[in-house]
Amino acid sequence: MKYLTALLISFLTTVTIAQNVPNGNFENWDTEDFFVTNDWVSYGKPHRSSESMTGQYAITLENYETSPNTYNSSSIYNVDWIDGEVDKFPYDGDPLSMVFYANYNLASGDSAYLESGFYEKGRWIGDAKIKVTGTSNGSFLKYSVPITWYGSRTPDSVYIGMRSLSHQGNANGYGFITIDDFHYENIGNRTVD
């Protein structure tokens, strides 16, 4: 009985610390012309940041100047809108919150945007969305965004989008958001794969 109890505790400890979003801590990177995040599709100039909350790296999405006084945004998705090679992460947890850490300094009037969309058999069944504005004054702040469910709470996949600008068009100025340890929770407990 003691052996079974020890095995169960060991299993629960491993499951509790398991990461449920592939590369949600942004530790795994490839190189093309620059560092790119594994398992994600990126647009603009997202880059690896050594300022992180957990592990060695986080991801920074920034608004960057393309011509005098014209700023574009950066974004990452787990869906490839152009080639269709990446299409959501498999996911069957029972989350109540989208959780992440963010360090940011955005231009006045700009806001960053993070979104999760949960699917069951191709049908959208829930989501979590947040706009982040202003500055975190150089610190990582923890965000826990409630998930809204539209009936069923049994997803089989999840869409994730993160942008340094919440709307289409140009940004008002330079700004950035650094995101780390993106995951889902159910009453304060990280959900598992």
Side-chain angles (χ1 to χ4, degrees), residues 16-50:
T16 302
I17 62 173
Q19 174 188 339
N20 67 340
V21 176
N23 202 18
N25 57 2
F26 303 105
E27 291 299 299
N28 301 315
W29 296 76
D30 277 335
T31 55
E32 290 178 2
D33 295 333
F34 52 89
F35 284 107
V36 294
T37 49
N38 289 341
D39 305 312
W40 299 84
V41 177
S42 58
Y43 299 95
K45 293 185 176 180
H47 59 87
R48 182 171 76 173
S49 172
S50 58

Side-chain angles (χ1 to χ4, degrees), residues 63-81:
N63 298 333
Y64 57 96
E65 194 169 24
T66 56
S67 62
N69 298 318
T70 302
Y71 293 86
N72 282 352
S73 63
S74 299
S75 57
I76 63 170
Y77 301 92
N78 70 335
V79 172
D80 189 343
W81 303 113

Side-chain angles (χ1 to χ4, degrees), residues 97-111:
S97 307
M98 174 180 78
V99 180
F100 60 93
Y101 290 89
N103 178 5
Y104 52 92
N105 188 7
L106 299 163
S108 178
D110 285 343
S111 56

Side-chain angles (χ1 to χ4, degrees), residues 2-193:
K2 289 181 183 178
Y3 176 74
L4 180 60
T5 302
L7 185 62
L8 182 59
I9 290 171
S10 174
F11 172 75
L12 290 175
T13 301
T14 302
V15 166
T16 302
I17 62 173
Q19 174 188 339
N20 67 340
V21 176
N23 202 18
N25 57 2
F26 303 105
E27 291 299 299
N28 301 315
W29 296 76
D30 277 335
T31 55
E32 290 178 2
D33 295 333
F34 52 89
F35 284 107
V36 294
T37 49
N38 289 341
D39 305 312
W40 299 84
V41 177
S42 58
Y43 299 95
K45 293 185 176 180
H47 59 87
R48 182 171 76 173
S49 172
S50 58
E51 284 189 43
S52 62
M53 190 66 195
T54 61
Q56 287 186 295
Y57 303 114
I59 189 163
T60 296
L61 307 174
E62 67 178 337
N63 298 333
Y64 57 96
E65 194 169 24
T66 56
S67 62
N69 298 318
T70 302
Y71 293 86
N72 282 352
S73 63
S74 299
S75 57
I76 63 170
Y77 301 92
N78 70 335
V79 172
D80 189 343
W81 303 113
I82 297 171
D83 297 324
E85 294 176 9
V86 177
D87 186 21
K88 301 184 285 296
F89 296 139
Y91 181 76
D92 63 0
D94 182 26
L96 296 177
S97 307
M98 174 180 78
V99 180
F100 60 93
Y101 290 89
N103 178 5
Y104 52 92
N105 188 7
L106 299 163
S108 178
D110 285 343
S111 56
Y113 184 71
L114 288 85
E115 172 182 40
S116 291
F118 296 88
Y119 289 81
E120 181 180 35
K121 298 178 182 170
R123 188 174 54 94
W124 186 282
I125 61 169
D127 54 44
K129 303 174 183 179
I130 185 171
K131 288 183 180 180
V132 178
T133 60
T135 180
S136 66
N137 293 314
S139 298
F140 275 93
L141 303 180
K142 183 177 182 179
Y143 284 85
S144 182
V145 183
I147 296 169
T148 302
W149 293 102
Y150 306 107
S152 172
R153 278 185 41 195
T154 55
D156 56 29
S157 60
V158 61
Y159 151 78
I160 302 168
M162 303 179 194
R163 302 192 305 261
S164 62
L165 188 63
S166 63
H167 62 273
Q168 300 296 329
N170 294 328
N172 290 333
Y174 174 78
F176 73 89
I177 181 167
T178 300
I179 302 159
D180 201 11
D181 196 21
F182 185 95
H183 62 278
Y184 300 106
E185 292 185 359
N186 185 326
I187 311 179
N189 294 313
R190 185 184 294 255
T191 61
V192 298
D193 282 337

